[in-house]
Amino acid sequence: GTDRGLPLYGYGLYFAESITKADEYTSAVNDGGPLDGCHVVLVCRVTGGRTQYCDTDKIDPSLLQQQVIQGPYHSVFGDRVSKLRKPYREVVVYSPTQCYPEYVVYY
């Protein structure tokens, strides 16, 4: 959302290999219903296809998006672990047809 800042790899659908990373972007349901206070995440199948590999912190989000939307790639694989020693990797797709929500997890 807008309160999280600009997306690192451009505007798209972000998926994490770790629930801990996904949890950073959730907020509690506050509707007074039976799920009040719960958090919700989707467990999805994602088709990455040919992936644009990115392992640097010098990122041009619009170029990455262009390489996927108009170029030879189908997704971005943001590897922040191997060189930058960050804790998470992410996959970004720019078309909703590349993901299938398989489970809804309430916690």
XYZ file of all heavy atoms in Angstrom:
846
model
N 0.807 -1.186 0.000
C 0.000 0.000 0.000
C 0.852 1.251 0.000
O 2.070 1.192 0.063
N 0.211 2.367 -0.074
C 0.924 3.634 -0.140
C 1.678 3.943 1.142
O 2.675 4.649 1.116
C -0.046 4.791 -0.456
O -1.081 4.793 0.525
C -0.618 4.655 -1.852
N 1.213 3.416 2.266
C 1.909 3.683 3.518
C 3.198 2.873 3.655
O 3.947 3.045 4.593
C 0.995 3.435 4.712
C 0.511 2.003 4.812
O 0.448 1.319 3.781
O 0.192 1.569 5.928
N 3.480 1.996 2.716
C 4.688 1.167 2.754
C 5.807 1.744 1.891
O 6.875 1.198 1.822
C 4.382 -0.257 2.270
C 3.259 -0.940 2.996
C 3.692 -1.404 4.344
N 2.588 -2.159 4.938
C 2.473 -2.394 6.202
N 3.361 -1.949 7.039
N 1.453 -3.069 6.684
N 5.543 2.814 1.161
C 6.564 3.410 0.298
C 6.468 2.890 -1.124
O 5.605 2.086 -1.459
N 7.391 3.351 -1.948
C 7.406 2.925 -3.342
C 7.897 1.485 -3.446
O 8.831 1.098 -2.749
C 8.305 3.843 -4.162
C 7.830 5.283 -4.298
C 8.889 6.124 -5.000
C 6.512 5.354 -5.023
N 7.307 0.698 -4.337
C 7.738 -0.695 -4.483
C 9.146 -0.795 -5.072
O 9.477 -0.103 -6.036
C 6.714 -1.302 -5.428
C 5.752 -0.240 -5.787
C 6.173 1.036 -5.164
N 9.943 -1.640 -4.497
C 11.346 -1.787 -4.879
C 11.518 -2.210 -6.332
O 12.410 -1.737 -7.024
C 12.023 -2.807 -3.956
C 13.520 -2.997 -4.107
C 14.267 -1.706 -3.806
C 14.000 -4.106 -3.199
N 10.673 -3.122 -6.801
C 10.792 -3.651 -8.158
C 9.677 -3.145 -9.069
O 9.335 -3.764 -10.058
C 10.786 -5.180 -8.130
C 11.884 -5.745 -7.259
C 11.597 -6.303 -6.016
C 13.211 -5.701 -7.672
C 12.611 -6.809 -5.210
C 14.223 -6.203 -6.876
C 13.913 -6.757 -5.644
O 14.915 -7.252 -4.850
N 9.075 -2.034 -8.737
C 7.988 -1.485 -9.533
C 6.644 -2.007 -9.051
O 6.562 -2.890 -8.196
N 5.589 -1.453 -9.597
C 4.238 -1.856 -9.199
C 3.896 -3.193 -9.829
O 3.914 -3.336 -11.052
C 3.227 -0.788 -9.600
C 3.367 0.474 -8.796
C 4.037 1.575 -9.306
C 2.866 0.540 -7.502
C 4.191 2.733 -8.556
C 3.018 1.691 -6.735
C 3.677 2.779 -7.276
O 3.833 3.910 -6.524
N 3.636 -4.178 -8.992
C 3.317 -5.524 -9.460
C 2.775 -6.344 -8.317
O 2.451 -5.826 -7.238
N 2.697 -7.626 -8.530
C 2.239 -8.566 -7.509
C 3.478 -9.213 -6.897
O 4.253 -9.868 -7.598
C 1.327 -9.629 -8.133
C 0.117 -9.070 -8.874
C -0.509 -10.119 -9.765
C -0.886 -8.528 -7.884
N 3.661 -9.030 -5.601
C 4.857 -9.484 -4.900
C 4.577 -10.756 -4.128
O 3.547 -10.868 -3.450
C 5.322 -8.406 -3.908
C 6.055 -7.262 -4.552
C 5.415 -6.406 -5.434
C 7.398 -7.047 -4.276
C 6.089 -5.361 -6.025
C 8.087 -5.994 -4.867
C 7.418 -5.152 -5.738
O 8.097 -4.126 -6.325
N 5.512 -11.696 -4.220
C 5.403 -12.959 -3.502
C 6.719 -13.239 -2.809
O 7.786 -12.975 -3.361
C 5.066 -14.096 -4.481
C 3.761 -13.861 -5.180
C 3.713 -13.175 -6.376
C 2.573 -14.286 -4.614
C 2.512 -12.917 -7.014
C 1.367 -14.033 -5.239
C 1.335 -13.349 -6.440
N 6.626 -13.753 -1.593
C 7.816 -14.016 -0.792
C 7.960 -15.507 -0.546
O 6.970 -16.228 -0.478
C 7.720 -13.290 0.555
N 9.205 -15.951 -0.403
C 9.436 -17.356 -0.088
C 9.257 -17.617 1.407
O 9.216 -18.751 1.827
C 10.831 -17.780 -0.532
C 11.948 -17.106 0.230
C 13.331 -17.559 -0.207
O 13.427 -18.432 -1.074
O 14.305 -17.037 0.343
N 9.135 -16.557 2.175
C 9.026 -16.672 3.625
C 7.764 -15.988 4.136
O 7.482 -14.847 3.779
C 10.251 -16.027 4.280
O 10.062 -15.911 5.670
N 7.031 -16.680 4.983
C 5.830 -16.090 5.577
C 6.186 -14.875 6.430
O 5.395 -13.944 6.564
C 5.030 -17.134 6.395
C 3.683 -16.576 6.849
C 5.820 -17.611 7.589
C 2.732 -16.218 5.753
N 7.387 -14.845 6.972
C 7.820 -13.712 7.783
C 7.831 -12.427 6.957
O 7.424 -11.374 7.429
C 9.212 -13.985 8.376
O 9.186 -15.229 9.054
C 9.619 -12.899 9.342
N 8.284 -12.521 5.715
C 8.284 -11.357 4.829
C 6.850 -10.949 4.497
O 6.498 -9.769 4.538
C 9.061 -11.661 3.545
C 9.074 -10.521 2.541
C 9.808 -9.316 3.079
C 9.934 -8.229 2.025
N 10.539 -7.022 2.546
N 6.007 -11.895 4.178
C 4.609 -11.593 3.853
C 3.906 -10.953 5.052
O 3.093 -10.036 4.899
C 3.879 -12.858 3.427
N 4.236 -11.413 6.245
C 3.609 -10.890 7.458
C 3.902 -9.410 7.670
O 3.102 -8.691 8.253
C 4.076 -11.705 8.672
C 3.432 -11.233 9.954
O 2.201 -11.347 10.081
O 4.169 -10.722 10.827
N 5.024 -8.929 7.155
C 5.369 -7.512 7.294
C 4.341 -6.609 6.616
O 4.248 -5.428 6.935
C 6.747 -7.233 6.689
C 7.892 -7.826 7.462
C 9.234 -7.544 6.797
O 9.274 -6.840 5.764
O 10.245 -8.034 7.328
N 3.597 -7.149 5.664
C 2.662 -6.337 4.878
C 1.206 -6.561 5.256
O 0.313 -6.058 4.593
C 2.870 -6.622 3.385
C 4.211 -6.158 2.926
C 5.307 -7.017 2.925
C 4.409 -4.839 2.534
C 6.559 -6.575 2.528
C 5.651 -4.393 2.134
C 6.718 -5.270 2.132
O 7.960 -4.823 1.747
N 0.950 -7.310 6.302
C -0.426 -7.550 6.723
C -0.814 -6.603 7.849
O 0.032 -6.013 8.515
C -0.637 -8.995 7.225
O 0.090 -9.179 8.440
C -0.206 -10.016 6.192
N -2.103 -6.467 8.034
C -2.627 -5.747 9.192
C -3.843 -6.525 9.691
O -4.457 -7.288 8.951
C -2.994 -4.309 8.833
O -3.922 -4.278 7.782
N -4.161 -6.338 10.928
C -5.248 -7.092 11.545
C -6.610 -6.664 10.988
O -6.829 -5.493 10.678
C -5.232 -6.902 13.060
N -7.488 -7.633 10.861
C -8.878 -7.366 10.477
C -9.537 -6.661 11.661
O -9.432 -7.114 12.803
C -9.618 -8.684 10.153
C -11.082 -8.427 9.890
C -8.958 -9.389 8.986
N -10.202 -5.567 11.415
C -10.871 -4.816 12.482
C -12.298 -4.509 12.076
O -12.678 -3.367 11.864
C -10.120 -3.504 12.773
C -8.760 -3.748 13.371
O -8.619 -4.532 14.293
N -7.751 -3.099 12.834
N -13.104 -5.557 11.950
C -14.490 -5.356 11.518
C -15.524 -5.798 12.561
O -16.713 -5.791 12.301
C -14.751 -6.078 10.195
C -14.615 -7.588 10.307
O -14.308 -8.097 11.401
O -14.819 -8.263 9.282
N -15.050 -6.197 13.734
C -15.964 -6.623 14.784
C -16.548 -8.010 14.579
O -17.325 -8.483 15.388
N -16.151 -8.672 13.501
C -16.656 -10.006 13.191
C -15.835 -11.095 13.838
O -14.953 -10.834 14.673
N -16.097 -12.343 13.451
C -15.404 -13.476 14.069
C -13.899 -13.516 13.785
O -13.163 -14.182 14.503
C -16.102 -14.700 13.479
C -16.794 -14.216 12.258
C -17.094 -12.763 12.471
N -13.450 -12.806 12.755
C -12.020 -12.785 12.437
C -11.330 -11.526 12.951
O -10.179 -11.261 12.607
C -11.822 -12.905 10.928
C -12.352 -14.187 10.301
C -12.198 -14.151 8.791
C -11.660 -15.403 10.888
N -12.037 -10.772 13.769
C -11.483 -9.531 14.305
C -10.167 -9.821 15.028
O -10.083 -10.709 15.870
C -12.489 -8.881 15.264
C -12.122 -7.445 15.570
O -12.014 -6.665 14.609
O -11.944 -7.115 16.754
N -9.143 -9.080 14.661
C -7.828 -9.263 15.269
C -6.932 -10.236 14.525
O -5.738 -10.314 14.797
N -7.493 -10.995 13.585
C -6.692 -11.944 12.795
C -5.989 -11.231 11.647
O -6.428 -10.196 11.167
C -7.588 -13.029 12.198
S -8.201 -14.222 13.379
N -4.909 -11.824 11.213
C -4.223 -11.402 9.999
C -4.557 -12.417 8.911
O -4.906 -13.562 9.207
C -2.712 -11.358 10.210
C -2.291 -10.268 11.140
N -1.584 -9.176 10.713
C -2.479 -10.087 12.469
C -1.345 -8.379 11.725
N -1.881 -8.918 12.811
N -4.423 -12.016 7.647
C -4.773 -12.889 6.535
C -3.670 -12.821 5.486
O -3.193 -11.742 5.146
C -6.108 -12.450 5.880
C -6.485 -13.383 4.750
C -7.216 -12.367 6.914
N -3.248 -13.985 4.984
C -2.320 -14.044 3.847
C -2.831 -15.079 2.856
O -3.585 -15.989 3.222
C -0.868 -14.408 4.247
C -0.236 -13.325 5.090
C -0.802 -15.741 4.923
N -2.428 -14.935 1.615
C -2.736 -15.911 0.580
C -1.504 -16.758 0.319
O -0.387 -16.234 0.248
C -3.136 -15.220 -0.724
C -4.407 -14.396 -0.718
C -4.554 -13.659 -2.053
C -5.613 -15.278 -0.467
N -1.705 -18.057 0.169
C -0.650 -18.949 -0.298
C -0.976 -19.200 -1.764
O -2.059 -19.682 -2.084
C -0.616 -20.268 0.498
C 0.445 -21.200 -0.070
C -0.375 -19.996 1.971
N -0.046 -18.824 -2.645
C -0.325 -18.838 -4.078
C 0.673 -19.683 -4.854
O 1.825 -19.821 -4.462
C -0.267 -17.420 -4.640
S -1.415 -16.276 -3.898
N 0.205 -20.183 -5.977
C 1.101 -20.755 -6.992
C 1.411 -19.620 -7.953
O 0.501 -18.914 -8.387
C 0.436 -21.895 -7.731
C 0.208 -23.112 -6.869
C -0.414 -24.215 -7.706
N -0.786 -25.317 -6.867
C -0.103 -26.454 -6.781
N 0.997 -26.604 -7.508
N -0.501 -27.422 -5.998
N 2.679 -19.447 -8.280
C 3.091 -18.359 -9.153
C 3.934 -18.928 -10.290
O 4.862 -19.694 -10.060
C 3.915 -17.295 -8.383
C 4.343 -16.175 -9.309
C 3.106 -16.752 -7.216
N 3.580 -18.547 -11.500
C 4.337 -18.963 -12.674
C 5.311 -17.844 -13.023
O 4.898 -16.777 -13.477
C 3.396 -19.234 -13.865
O 2.435 -20.202 -13.467
C 4.160 -19.718 -15.065
N 6.579 -18.099 -12.771
C 7.592 -17.086 -13.011
C 8.054 -17.014 -14.452
O 8.429 -15.959 -14.935
N 8.047 -18.145 -15.154
C 8.531 -18.157 -16.522
C 10.003 -17.801 -16.585
O 10.782 -18.161 -15.710
N 10.392 -17.055 -17.600
C 11.772 -16.591 -17.723
C 11.943 -15.397 -16.794
O 11.277 -14.376 -16.943
C 12.064 -16.185 -19.166
C 13.501 -15.811 -19.376
C 13.821 -15.618 -20.832
N 15.230 -15.310 -20.954
C 15.753 -14.735 -22.000
N 14.995 -14.416 -23.020
N 17.036 -14.487 -22.037
N 12.854 -15.519 -15.857
C 12.975 -14.554 -14.774
C 14.152 -13.594 -14.964
O 15.253 -14.013 -15.280
C 13.156 -15.310 -13.441
O 12.028 -16.133 -13.221
C 13.290 -14.371 -12.281
N 13.870 -12.326 -14.725
C 14.931 -11.314 -14.673
C 15.516 -11.364 -13.268
O 14.841 -11.035 -12.298
C 14.371 -9.924 -14.972
C 15.330 -8.777 -14.747
C 16.534 -8.802 -15.675
O 16.464 -9.272 -16.777
N 17.640 -8.288 -15.197
N 16.751 -11.821 -13.141
C 17.402 -11.983 -11.850
C 17.996 -10.648 -11.408
O 18.682 -9.974 -12.166
C 18.499 -13.042 -11.968
C 19.235 -13.319 -10.694
C 18.650 -14.083 -9.696
C 20.512 -12.831 -10.483
C 19.321 -14.352 -8.516
C 21.202 -13.093 -9.313
C 20.596 -13.857 -8.335
O 21.266 -14.118 -7.175
N 17.717 -10.270 -10.173
C 18.196 -8.993 -9.642
C 18.784 -9.231 -8.255
O 18.068 -9.640 -7.336
C 17.046 -7.993 -9.583
S 17.541 -6.358 -9.033
N 20.092 -8.989 -8.097
C 20.743 -9.224 -6.804
C 21.511 -7.999 -6.316
O 22.466 -8.112 -5.568
C 21.663 -10.437 -6.876
C 22.840 -10.232 -7.822
O 22.881 -9.190 -8.519
O 23.710 -11.115 -7.875
N 21.083 -6.828 -6.740
C 21.770 -5.597 -6.378
C 20.805 -4.643 -5.682
O 19.593 -4.836 -5.740
C 22.361 -4.922 -7.641
O 23.016 -3.715 -7.256
C 21.281 -4.604 -8.654
N 21.345 -3.621 -5.052
C 20.473 -2.595 -4.467
C 20.371 -1.374 -5.378
O 19.716 -0.401 -5.061
C 20.942 -2.198 -3.071
C 22.352 -1.650 -3.049
O 23.028 -1.682 -4.098
O 22.786 -1.195 -1.989
N 21.022 -1.443 -6.538
C 20.915 -0.379 -7.547
C 19.848 -0.807 -8.543
O 20.140 -1.442 -9.561
C 22.256 -0.155 -8.226
C 23.300 0.403 -7.272
C 24.662 0.468 -7.932
C 25.733 1.041 -7.070
N 25.822 0.635 -5.724
N 18.604 -0.462 -8.231
C 17.455 -0.971 -8.970
C 16.736 0.171 -9.666
O 16.460 1.201 -9.051
C 16.489 -1.699 -8.007
C 17.207 -2.906 -7.386
C 15.220 -2.129 -8.717
C 16.478 -3.526 -6.233
N 16.419 -0.038 -10.940
C 15.580 0.881 -11.696
C 14.233 0.186 -11.894
O 14.094 -0.639 -12.799
C 16.232 1.217 -13.036
C 15.413 2.179 -13.864
O 14.219 2.390 -13.565
O 15.963 2.720 -14.837
N 13.247 0.472 -11.037
C 11.971 -0.245 -11.105
C 11.282 -0.146 -12.462
O 10.725 -1.131 -12.939
C 11.126 0.411 -10.022
C 12.063 1.124 -9.133
C 13.262 1.459 -9.965
N 11.335 1.014 -13.095
C 10.650 1.147 -14.381
C 11.340 0.313 -15.460
O 10.673 -0.267 -16.323
C 10.546 2.614 -14.798
O 11.829 3.189 -14.902
N 12.663 0.200 -15.419
C 13.378 -0.636 -16.378
C 13.036 -2.111 -16.165
O 12.798 -2.847 -17.126
C 14.888 -0.420 -16.265
C 15.750 -1.283 -17.195
C 15.428 -1.007 -18.659
C 17.225 -1.054 -16.908
N 13.009 -2.545 -14.910
C 12.640 -3.933 -14.627
C 11.243 -4.243 -15.159
O 11.028 -5.264 -15.803
C 12.697 -4.213 -13.128
C 14.066 -4.412 -12.513
C 13.945 -4.579 -11.004
C 14.769 -5.603 -13.119
N 10.299 -3.358 -14.877
C 8.929 -3.551 -15.365
C 8.906 -3.613 -16.885
O 8.238 -4.458 -17.467
C 8.029 -2.411 -14.894
C 7.184 -2.782 -13.719
C 6.240 -1.661 -13.340
O 6.692 -0.576 -12.981
N 4.981 -1.932 -13.402
N 9.618 -2.721 -17.539
C 9.640 -2.686 -18.996
C 10.231 -3.980 -19.561
O 9.739 -4.512 -20.550
C 10.457 -1.484 -19.472
C 10.510 -1.349 -20.977
C 11.349 -0.151 -21.408
O 11.915 0.575 -20.589
N 11.435 0.049 -22.704
N 11.291 -4.504 -18.933
C 11.906 -5.747 -19.404
C 10.954 -6.930 -19.291
O 11.064 -7.888 -20.041
C 13.185 -6.030 -18.617
C 14.307 -5.088 -18.946
C 15.513 -5.300 -18.067
O 15.398 -5.749 -16.919
N 16.682 -4.966 -18.577
N 10.022 -6.850 -18.348
C 9.047 -7.926 -18.187
C 7.839 -7.698 -19.084
O 7.415 -8.587 -19.821
C 8.614 -8.069 -16.707
C 7.467 -9.049 -16.570
C 9.795 -8.505 -15.852
N 7.287 -6.517 -19.057
C 6.045 -6.246 -19.789
C 6.290 -6.198 -21.296
O 5.503 -6.736 -22.068
C 5.399 -4.938 -19.281
C 4.957 -5.135 -17.831
C 4.224 -4.525 -20.157
C 4.506 -3.867 -17.136
N 7.405 -5.583 -21.722
C 7.660 -5.427 -23.150
C 8.851 -6.238 -23.642
O 9.120 -6.273 -24.837
C 7.890 -3.948 -23.478
C 6.708 -3.084 -23.155
C 7.024 -1.605 -23.277
O 8.154 -1.209 -23.539
N 6.015 -0.785 -23.088
N 9.580 -6.845 -22.747
C 10.821 -7.517 -23.126
C 10.737 -9.024 -23.037
O 9.661 -9.608 -23.043
N 11.897 -9.649 -22.886
C 11.977 -11.108 -22.953
C 11.668 -11.834 -21.640
O 11.711 -13.052 -21.598
C 13.436 -11.342 -23.351
C 14.170 -10.199 -22.698
C 13.222 -9.020 -22.806
N 11.364 -11.105 -20.562
C 11.164 -11.744 -19.265
C 9.692 -11.792 -18.870
O 8.874 -11.039 -19.388
C 11.978 -11.010 -18.181
C 13.448 -11.012 -18.465
C 14.081 -9.877 -18.956
C 14.214 -12.154 -18.265
C 15.436 -9.886 -19.246
C 15.574 -12.165 -18.546
C 16.172 -11.028 -19.041
O 17.513 -11.044 -19.318
N 9.400 -12.699 -17.919
C 8.032 -12.869 -17.433
C 7.869 -12.465 -15.975
O 6.751 -12.340 -15.491
C 7.590 -14.334 -17.587
C 7.754 -14.839 -18.981
N 8.725 -15.748 -19.323
C 7.084 -14.532 -20.115
C 8.642 -16.007 -20.615
N 7.661 -15.284 -21.127
N 8.981 -12.308 -15.256
C 8.932 -11.970 -13.835
C 10.286 -11.432 -13.394
O 11.258 -11.494 -14.141
C 8.566 -13.207 -13.002
O 9.572 -14.193 -13.118
N 10.325 -10.946 -12.157
C 11.576 -10.504 -11.537
C 11.807 -11.368 -10.312
O 10.894 -11.593 -9.515
C 11.503 -9.012 -11.117
C 12.723 -8.623 -10.304
C 11.353 -8.123 -12.338
N 13.033 -11.871 -10.167
C 13.422 -12.591 -8.962
C 14.381 -11.695 -8.199
O 15.516 -11.473 -8.620
C 14.091 -13.929 -9.302
C 14.506 -14.708 -8.088
C 13.553 -15.343 -7.311
C 15.827 -14.795 -7.717
C 13.932 -16.062 -6.185
C 16.215 -15.510 -6.597
C 15.258 -16.144 -5.826
N 13.899 -11.108 -7.120
C 14.703 -10.218 -6.296
C 15.446 -11.002 -5.243
O 14.869 -11.383 -4.229
N 16.713 -11.276 -5.505
C 17.544 -12.042 -4.564
C 18.331 -11.062 -3.708
O 19.389 -10.575 -4.088
C 18.490 -12.952 -5.332
C 19.340 -13.814 -4.419
O 19.246 -13.654 -3.182
O 20.094 -14.655 -4.929
N 17.804 -10.752 -2.546
C 18.460 -9.820 -1.631
C 19.334 -10.578 -0.635
O 19.955 -9.979 0.222
C 17.407 -8.995 -0.890
C 16.319 -8.479 -1.787
C 16.207 -7.042 -2.096
N 16.443 -6.101 -1.059
C 17.218 -5.029 -1.250
N 17.790 -4.815 -2.397
N 17.399 -4.173 -0.284
N 19.401 -11.903 -0.775
C 20.127 -12.736 0.183
C 21.575 -12.954 -0.233
O 22.496 -12.735 0.560
C 19.418 -14.100 0.362
C 20.216 -15.024 1.254
C 18.018 -13.900 0.902
N 21.806 -13.389 -1.470
C 23.130 -13.879 -1.863
C 24.242 -12.842 -1.739
O 25.300 -13.149 -1.200
C 23.091 -14.456 -3.279
O 22.760 -13.451 -4.205
N 24.048 -11.628 -2.224
C 25.113 -10.614 -2.163
C 24.882 -9.567 -1.087
O 25.822 -9.074 -0.482
C 25.240 -9.901 -3.514
C 25.833 -10.755 -4.603
C 26.019 -9.945 -5.856
C 26.610 -10.785 -6.966
N 26.694 -10.026 -8.220
N 23.626 -9.195 -0.873
C 23.327 -8.102 0.048
C 23.133 -8.557 1.491
O 23.007 -7.751 2.396
C 22.076 -7.351 -0.428
C 22.187 -6.746 -1.827
C 20.855 -6.163 -2.257
C 23.271 -5.691 -1.861
N 23.062 -9.866 1.689
C 22.884 -10.443 3.028
C 21.594 -9.982 3.710
O 21.532 -9.889 4.929
C 24.085 -10.159 3.918
C 25.386 -10.665 3.358
C 25.390 -12.179 3.302
N 26.665 -12.658 2.791
C 26.770 -13.593 1.875
N 25.712 -14.145 1.358
N 27.954 -13.986 1.463
N 20.591 -9.675 2.919
C 19.265 -9.368 3.459
C 18.559 -10.694 3.712
O 18.934 -11.727 3.166
C 18.455 -8.511 2.478
C 19.114 -7.203 2.098
C 19.020 -6.214 3.213
C 19.621 -4.881 2.775
N 19.440 -3.843 3.714
N 17.492 -10.708 4.509
C 16.909 -11.994 4.902
C 15.927 -12.633 3.911
O 15.578 -13.787 4.082
C 16.195 -11.660 6.213
C 15.913 -10.211 6.137
C 17.007 -9.608 5.317
N 15.487 -11.920 2.844
C 14.398 -12.470 2.030
C 14.632 -12.353 0.535
O 15.301 -11.445 0.061
C 13.081 -11.744 2.355
C 12.740 -11.756 3.816
C 12.759 -10.589 4.560
C 12.426 -12.943 4.459
C 12.458 -10.592 5.904
C 12.129 -12.957 5.803
C 12.141 -11.784 6.526
O 11.845 -11.801 7.859
N 14.000 -13.274 -0.180
C 13.922 -13.226 -1.636
C 12.469 -12.998 -2.020
O 11.568 -13.441 -1.321
C 14.401 -14.536 -2.253
C 15.859 -14.825 -2.025
C 16.237 -16.176 -2.655
N 17.605 -16.512 -2.345
C 17.980 -17.254 -1.303
N 17.080 -17.753 -0.486
N 19.244 -17.508 -1.083
N 12.265 -12.319 -3.156
C 10.908 -12.045 -3.612
C 10.786 -12.343 -5.100
O 11.758 -12.230 -5.840
C 10.549 -10.575 -3.394
C 10.543 -10.159 -1.941
C 10.291 -8.683 -1.781
O 11.249 -7.909 -1.952
O 9.143 -8.302 -1.490
N 9.589 -12.702 -5.512
C 9.256 -12.863 -6.917
C 8.171 -11.843 -7.225
O 7.210 -11.699 -6.464
C 8.740 -14.286 -7.221
C 8.259 -14.389 -8.660
C 9.823 -15.312 -6.941
N 8.337 -11.129 -8.338
C 7.364 -10.117 -8.736
C 6.873 -10.456 -10.135
O 7.673 -10.699 -11.043
C 7.973 -8.703 -8.733
C 6.922 -7.663 -9.075
C 8.623 -8.400 -7.397
N 5.552 -10.492 -10.288
C 4.937 -10.636 -11.603
C 4.071 -9.406 -11.828
O 3.642 -8.747 -10.880
C 4.112 -11.938 -11.734
C 5.013 -13.155 -11.617
C 2.991 -12.014 -10.721
N 3.819 -9.104 -13.071
C 3.075 -7.888 -13.400
C 1.741 -8.204 -14.065
O 1.044 -7.308 -14.519
C 3.935 -6.971 -14.282
C 5.237 -6.613 -13.594
C 6.404 -7.314 -13.858
C 5.280 -5.604 -12.648
C 7.579 -7.002 -13.206
C 6.456 -5.294 -11.984
C 7.600 -5.993 -12.269
O 8.770 -5.696 -11.611
N 1.394 -9.480 -14.111
C 0.109 -9.900 -14.667
C -0.587 -10.829 -13.674
O 0.015 -11.813 -13.212
C 0.311 -10.645 -15.985
O -0.910 -11.230 -16.413
N -1.847 -10.562 -13.352
C -2.555 -11.431 -12.407
C -2.785 -12.842 -12.944
O -3.079 -13.755 -12.178
C -3.882 -10.703 -12.168
C -4.044 -9.784 -13.324
C -2.661 -9.442 -13.791
N -2.607 -13.046 -14.248
C -2.777 -14.389 -14.804
C -1.625 -15.316 -14.441
O -1.701 -16.514 -14.685
C -2.922 -14.332 -16.340
O -1.728 -13.765 -16.895
C -4.128 -13.501 -16.755
N -0.569 -14.778 -13.826
C 0.584 -15.579 -13.446
C 0.503 -16.103 -12.013
O 1.421 -16.764 -11.553
C 1.871 -14.767 -13.609
C 2.233 -14.500 -15.050
C 3.453 -13.621 -15.140
O 3.347 -12.432 -15.375
N 4.623 -14.212 -14.949
N -0.577 -15.796 -11.317
C -0.693 -16.291 -9.941
C -2.076 -16.891 -9.704
O -3.070 -16.464 -10.275
C -0.396 -15.186 -8.936
S -1.483 -13.773 -9.045
N -2.079 -17.919 -8.850
C -3.311 -18.602 -8.493
C -3.370 -18.723 -6.980
O -2.554 -19.448 -6.379
C -3.332 -20.002 -9.135
C -4.512 -20.815 -8.731
C -5.753 -20.607 -9.320
C -4.407 -21.801 -7.750
C -6.856 -21.352 -8.945
C -5.493 -22.554 -7.370
C -6.726 -22.320 -7.974
O -7.806 -23.057 -7.591
N -4.297 -18.024 -6.330
C -4.432 -18.161 -4.871
C -4.956 -19.550 -4.522
O -6.027 -19.943 -4.971
C -5.456 -17.079 -4.493
C -5.609 -16.230 -5.695
C -5.195 -17.032 -6.876
N -4.170 -20.287 -3.778
C -4.539 -21.663 -3.450
C -5.140 -21.802 -2.059
O -6.058 -22.579 -1.858
C -3.319 -22.559 -3.575
C -3.646 -24.009 -3.417
C -2.940 -24.885 -4.419
O -2.038 -24.414 -5.118
O -3.307 -26.062 -4.474
N -4.642 -21.034 -1.106
C -5.142 -21.102 0.273
C -5.258 -19.694 0.847
O -4.455 -18.821 0.522
C -4.177 -21.883 1.186
C -3.979 -23.310 0.783
C -2.838 -23.685 0.071
C -4.910 -24.295 1.105
C -2.633 -24.992 -0.318
C -4.716 -25.608 0.727
C -3.574 -25.951 0.013
O -3.382 -27.249 -0.369
N -6.213 -19.521 1.726
C -6.316 -18.317 2.540
C -5.959 -18.747 3.957
O -6.536 -19.691 4.484
C -7.743 -17.723 2.530
C -7.813 -16.498 3.425
C -8.171 -17.385 1.105
N -4.964 -18.078 4.543
C -4.510 -18.435 5.887
C -4.875 -17.299 6.838
O -4.514 -16.142 6.605
C -2.988 -18.665 5.915
C -2.511 -18.979 7.330
C -2.603 -19.789 4.948
N -5.613 -17.635 7.872
C -5.972 -16.677 8.929
C -5.144 -17.024 10.155
O -5.054 -18.183 10.556
C -7.454 -16.804 9.297
C -8.391 -16.529 8.154
C -8.869 -17.556 7.346
C -8.826 -15.236 7.886
C -9.727 -17.309 6.298
C -9.688 -14.970 6.835
C -10.134 -16.018 6.058
O -10.988 -15.771 5.002
N -4.553 -16.030 10.786
C -3.765 -16.282 12.000
C -3.838 -15.112 12.942
O -4.215 -14.018 12.576
C -2.315 -16.614 11.647
C -1.566 -15.532 10.926
C -0.678 -14.715 11.619
C -1.741 -15.291 9.561
C 0.024 -13.718 10.964
C -1.045 -14.296 8.914
C -0.177 -13.503 9.617
O 0.515 -12.511 8.974
